[in-house]
Structures are given as structure tokens and as C-alpha cells.
Amino acid sequence: MKNPIFYIGFAAILFSSSCSEDKLDEVNTNPNAASAANLNPNYLLADAQLRYGNTGYTQLLYQAPAIQAIASTFNYYGNGDKYVNAGGFTGYQAQAFNEGYTALSRLQQAISVANTQNATRFANTVAISNIMKVMIFQRITDTYGDIPFSEALQASQGIVTPKYDKQQDIYPQLLTQLEAAINSLDPAAPTATGDLFYGGDVAQWRRLGYSLMVRVAMRMTKVDAATARTWTEKAAAAGTLASTTENALLRTDIAFGDTQNASSNALRTTDDFREVKWSKTLIDYLRTTSDPRLGVIAEIPQAGAANNANQGLAGNTAAAVQRGLPNGYDLTGGAFDIRKRADYPGPTGTGADVALLGNYSRPRASVYIKQNTPAFLLTYAETEFLLAEAASRGWSVGANAATHYANGLRGAMQSLAQLDAAATVPAATIDAFVVANPLRTTNALQQINEQYWLEASTTFNFFEGWFNWRRSGFPILVPVNYPGNVTNATIPRRIIYPTTENSNNPNGYQAAVANLSGGDQLTSRVWWDR
């Protein structure tokens, strides 16, 4: 696989032009060919957003089962479910890195083309691209640790083996670059027509930018609380996302055959659809608090193997019958075969038509298993939970912790309707639950971050659920201890760098690995993970 950091260099060559071409070259040049002079940078912005929002399969294999949101006995889900390197699928560990840098190169190219053509005309395209760059860089560094940053995307300037910047050096720059990008948004400038999130709405991008500022700042609570406080308070004062209608979602038009949210795409395959279930940890948590989301997100398939595999056949959504699959089990007949657990509910069907896992809850097909299921990237509820934590720390973020928490809890339930109308929780039900479950004065941080985990899990934003679990330590999860696991029975704290980096950029890679306590392992911790 080519190193994605090289892309911008090739793009620069592709779109470069010269005034010294002779007449024969001019005659033989296609006047309609793409170049820096005629390429619309909005196309590049849209492509970057698609790539960033469409890395869901890797989080389904690793992050989702690691935080015990989902569970599966299927072989390659063992990467996150059982902490084993399932053969043939470790390449997905590189997806956030490779797709992230490809998306970044598209954005850098969009900025370059925009500035070449008309900086005023494309001012908002450039501003949104720069906000997107911060969002993507944060995901990459939070996944792996030290990454190419200050020298990334500069192959056209001859830097093809960029240094790996330390994460503690990257984070302050993310904040200052983000602030500059937000300030460059111009309501008087033309709309960024390539924006797939908000259709170029500058006011919404401003609020998204400040919500992203909260996310970046709050990641530093354990390593630089003073800086975290300064930037969180600044973002709260400026105005963050105001409701679930402003959630940053990636949608595409299935009429044109577009796909998005690779998690949903993966779950439409037969094996995944039958064998990926909600985790017992998550289902039990919902049941303990009589959470109305339990009867919205989950279903027990109808009896029999054929029915279990039928994606058009609705299951039983009654909250009382939902049952989560424990993490760390298989169907191989050994000691960890799920059928040997005392609480195994038994198969469904008779004779050859038996569904071994049919009595466990799967993600509701009509809600999650659709081609046009939106990908959630940053939400109002997520922001409100982080502000609730900030307020509980005594920081000045407008409302008090209890109010922000209630906003987050209400928003988390309301957001499900954006997956599908079938996932709508009635407003009266939401109000009653929020009133009955206020933020407690004791263990407030635990309560807030458990709800953050639940919101990220039920919206399939597993990257963020995993990041925040690593930062906060909540919910308190019991790791599995499956034979052959590579983490000494501990939940993965990061993802291993792409194997190609040691050959493509050995000096940078080796410096980054040396900065990790324990080396390039799933169990090593990045700078902010303390």
C-alpha cells in the first residue's frame, strides 16, 4: 500500500502547469482537464468528508467490542472482542491512519487549489477544510499516538518521510489552528457547496468548531488541566452545538449508489448480520436503569436460522426479552464456547434450521442495517456531557453540571431518531426519564462518562466512545481473558501503527515507537491516557 502522506506530492505534480509550453502542447492539451486553475475545491472537501466518515468497519472490529458495546463469536471480531490478532484482518488497524491521511491530503489540496484560484470566493471552503483537518488529525493521533503533523502533507516540498511529532506537541497546535479556522469563517463569502455536513452553513460550522474545541481540550484533563480549562471555557462562551438538529452527520444519496457508515455496510453481510450482537455489558446497563432506549436499539431475531439471517424480517423489540451476548466467547466447542455458559439461552429453531445465537439481541435492523444509515461524527449530546464534566470540575461553562447533563441525556435519546424514525423515543418518555435520573452529587464523573459511552455506542460512534473511555476510565469494564490474547487480558489502549510505516518512514516510525512506554503495542498508552 502506498504511503498516503505522499498523495499531496503527486497531486501537486498532477495539477501543476507551466507558461513555457509550446504551441504543439497547447493544441494537444484538453481544455477540460482538471487543473489547479479549473478544479472546484469543493469536490475535494466532499471527498475528504466521505473518507473521514466512512471508516466505520475498523471501529466495528476493534473499538466497538473493546468497550463492550457489541460482542461477537465470529472470527475476525476477535481483534477487539478477545484481544487476539485474527488472521487476515489486522490490516484494518491501519485504516484510520491511511484513510485519515488520504482525507487530509484532499483537504490540503482543496486549500491549495482554492488559494490559487480565488481566496475570497473559496474562503469558507478553506475555513471548513481547516476545521476538518483538526478533526481528522485528532482522530489519528488519539488512535496511534505520535504521528506526522508539522511536516505531513508536504511531499510537494520534498518532505516524503515526515517526522512524527509528539502528541503533547500536537495538541496545543490543534487548538490554535482550530481557533484560527473558526475565526476565518465568513458569512459574507460564498457558500462552501461541497460541505456534506451542513451544506456550507457558516453559523453551524462555527458552533461545530467550538464543540470540536471542547472535545480537543477535554482530552487533556489528566495531563494539562489548566490548558483544558482555558480552551473549554473559551469554547463554551463562544457557543457550541445548540441542539440535536446540529449534530454533525454524514449522509449520502443512495439513489446514486453511494455508501457510507461502513459499520452498517459490514453488518449487512450475512455472517456479520447473524453473529454481531449487542454486548451483555451494554444491555444490562440499559436494563438496570429502565432506559427506554433498550426497546429502540435492540431486537431478538425471529426463531430459526433462515429468519435470523433475513434482514427484512423484524425481530422482537420488547425491552423485557433483550439479552446481550457476553464478550470473549466463541462457537468452536472448547472451554470458551458460549453454549457452555450456564446462562446460555439456547438456540432457536429445530432440526437444520437452528440459529445458535438467535436468542441474543442484535442491533435493530431497521435502524442500523441500512445503506443510508447516517454516520455520527460529533454530537450535541457528546458536547453537553463534556461540558457537564467541565462544570463538575468547577469550570465556568455557562450552565451548571446538572443542566448540561440533562441536556446531554435528552439529546442522546433524541439523536436516535436521526438513525431512523423507528428509533424515535417519545418526547414524554424522554422527559420523564431525564427527570427521574438527574446528575448525582456523588460519582458525577462516572455517571456523566457512562452516559457518554452509551450515547457513542448507540449512535455507532465507537471511535469516540473508545477515546473517552480511555481518558475517563468509565464505564468500569471487566476485561476478558481469552486464550491467545496479545494484551495480557487488558483492553487495548491504542492501535498498532500500519506495518508499512516501518519501511516507508523508518526514522519517523522508530522515533514514535521509542516514545511509547511498551513500544508499538495495543497496551501502550498515548500521552493523554493516564
Side-chain angles (χ1 to χ4, degrees):
M1 181 178 292
K2 294 183 176 66
N3 188 334
I5 303 174
F6 294 169
Y7 177 87
I8 192 65
F10 296 133
I13 295 171
L14 176 64
F15 293 114
S16 63
S17 60
S18 170
C19 296
S20 61
E21 303 291 339
D22 59 27
K23 292 297 182 182
L24 181 61
D25 287 333
E26 292 178 9
V27 170
N28 289 315
T29 298
N30 180 359
N32 297 317
S35 70
N38 62 21
L39 180 66
N40 189 332
N42 284 289
Y43 298 151
L44 297 163
L45 170 62
D47 184 70
Q49 291 180 330
L50 278 168
R51 289 180 178 275
Y52 170 71
N54 196 31
T55 54
Y57 197 22
T58 184
Q59 65 174 347
L60 196 66
L61 293 181
Y62 293 93
Q63 285 79 9
I67 59 172
Q68 297 176 16
I70 68 165
S72 182
T73 60
F74 201 39
N75 59 354
Y76 51 82
Y77 283 90
N79 291 286
D81 186 83
K82 304 168 186 66
Y83 328 141
V84 297
N85 287 327
F89 292 92
T90 54
Y92 282 102
Q93 293 180 344
Q95 191 176 48
F97 192 96
N98 292 335
E99 285 296 317
Y101 276 108
T102 300
L104 286 167
S105 70
R106 298 292 196 272
L107 294 169
Q108 189 65 31
Q109 186 183 341
I111 293 167
S112 177
V113 169
N115 289 332
T116 296
Q117 291 184 28
N118 189 320
T120 301
R121 175 187 173 191
F122 295 115
N124 286 321
T125 302
V126 171
I128 291 171
S129 295
N130 279 320
I131 293 173
M132 285 294 308
K133 284 175 64 178
V134 172
M135 188 178 292
I136 298 171
F137 269 124
Q138 186 187 23
R139 175 187 283 181
I140 301 172
T141 187
D142 287 354
T143 301
Y144 301 97
D146 297 355
I147 59 169
F149 180 74
S150 61
E151 293 183 356
L153 313 175
Q154 296 185 42
S156 60
Q157 284 80 51
I159 302 177
V160 295
T161 55
K163 71 175 183 179
Y164 275 59
D165 294 86
K166 292 182 178 180
Q167 189 178 68
Q168 55 264 49
D169 297 330
I170 294 172
Y171 255 76
Q173 295 179 72
L174 291 178
L175 289 166
T176 55
Q177 290 180 15
L178 177 58
E179 183 175 39
I182 295 170
N183 289 338
S184 69
L185 288 165
D186 184 358
T191 299
T193 58
D195 172 31
L196 302 179
F197 296 174
Y198 298 121
D201 188 307
V202 168
Q204 291 209 336
W205 268 100
R206 187 179 302 278
R207 290 191 288 274
L208 176 66
Y210 284 116
S211 288
L212 177 59
M213 186 178 290
V214 171
R215 175 193 282 181
V216 175
M218 289 297 290
R219 204 79 89 214
M220 299 189 293
T221 51
K222 289 185 176 179
V223 290
D224 191 348
T227 299
R229 176 174 186 168
T230 296
W231 287 91
T232 299
E233 290 182 341
K234 177 184 294 189
T240 55
L241 296 178
S243 73
T244 57
T245 61
E246 296 182 345
N247 287 345
L249 307 175
L250 174 65
R251 302 179 186 273
T252 58
D253 190 344
I254 61 173
F256 293 93
D258 293 333
T259 59
Q260 80 291 338
N261 195 337
S263 297
S264 297
N265 293 338
L267 292 180
R268 286 199 299 273
T269 62
T270 301
D271 289 332
D272 296 68
F273 181 72
R274 289 182 308 190
E275 300 191 40
V276 173
K277 306 293 183 179
W278 287 115
S279 170
K280 175 177 168 56
T281 303
L282 184 138
I283 294 296
D284 287 354
Y285 186 91
L286 289 169
R287 176 169 286 110
T288 298
T289 57
S290 299
D291 194 307
R293 283 172 284 189
L294 181 56
V296 166
I297 66 163
E299 63 183 4
I300 297 289
Q302 295 190 29
N307 290 337
N308 191 42
N310 186 344
Q311 298 179 23
L313 189 62
N316 186 347
T317 59
V321 304
Q322 303 309 318
R323 179 185 291 107
L325 176 68
N327 292 86
Y329 288 87
D330 57 34
L331 287 170
T332 62
F336 285 80
D337 191 306
I338 189 65
R339 293 167 291 185
K340 295 185 177 182
R341 274 183 63 109
D343 60 355
Y344 174 62
T348 64
T350 59
D353 189 28
V354 171
L356 296 178
L357 300 176
N359 273 322
Y360 288 108
S361 300
R362 70 188 177 200
R364 189 175 176 184
S366 63
V367 173
Y368 296 98
I369 321 299
K370 305 180 305 174
Q371 188 173 1
N372 63 341
T373 299
F376 283 73
L377 303 172
L378 199 160
T379 67
Y380 164 71
E382 169 194 332
T383 306
E384 286 297 304
F385 286 135
L386 291 175
L387 291 175
E389 178 178 333
S392 72
R393 293 173 178 272
W395 303 354
S396 178
V397 289
N400 60 28
T403 299
H404 280 302
Y405 176 79
N407 291 342
L409 188 56
R410 180 176 285 106
M413 295 187 176
Q414 292 173 340
S415 292
L416 294 176
Q418 294 174 326
L419 290 165
D420 189 90
T424 301
V425 181
T429 302
I430 294 175
D431 290 340
F433 186 82
V434 171
V435 170
N437 295 272
L439 182 65
R440 300 183 297 269
T441 55
T442 58
N443 299 322
L445 291 183
Q446 179 173 352
Q447 186 180 357
I448 292 166
N449 286 291
E450 285 175 348
Q451 286 297 328
Y452 189 112
W453 162 78
L454 194 57
E455 190 268 352
S457 297
T458 54
T459 58
F460 272 31
N461 193 4
F462 301 118
F463 271 118
E464 282 306 311
W466 180 57
F467 294 149
N468 195 65
W469 170 79
R470 289 159 54 201
R471 179 193 68 89
S472 70
F474 300 115
I476 299 172
L477 302 175
V478 179
V480 305
N481 192 4
Y482 188 82
N485 75 80
V486 296
T487 66
N488 195 27
T490 60
I491 298 173
R493 310 295 303 194
R494 60 179 291 277
I495 298 299
I496 296 171
Y497 289 116
T499 56
T500 52
E501 281 300 282
N502 196 25
S503 55
N504 289 337
N505 190 358
N507 291 334
Y509 166 77
Q510 290 164 17
V513 171
N515 200 37
L516 284 167
S517 177
D520 192 10
Q521 302 295 327
L522 296 172
T523 51
S524 298
R525 294 180 181 238
V526 303
W527 166 69
W528 54 254
D529 183 8
R530 296 291 183 266

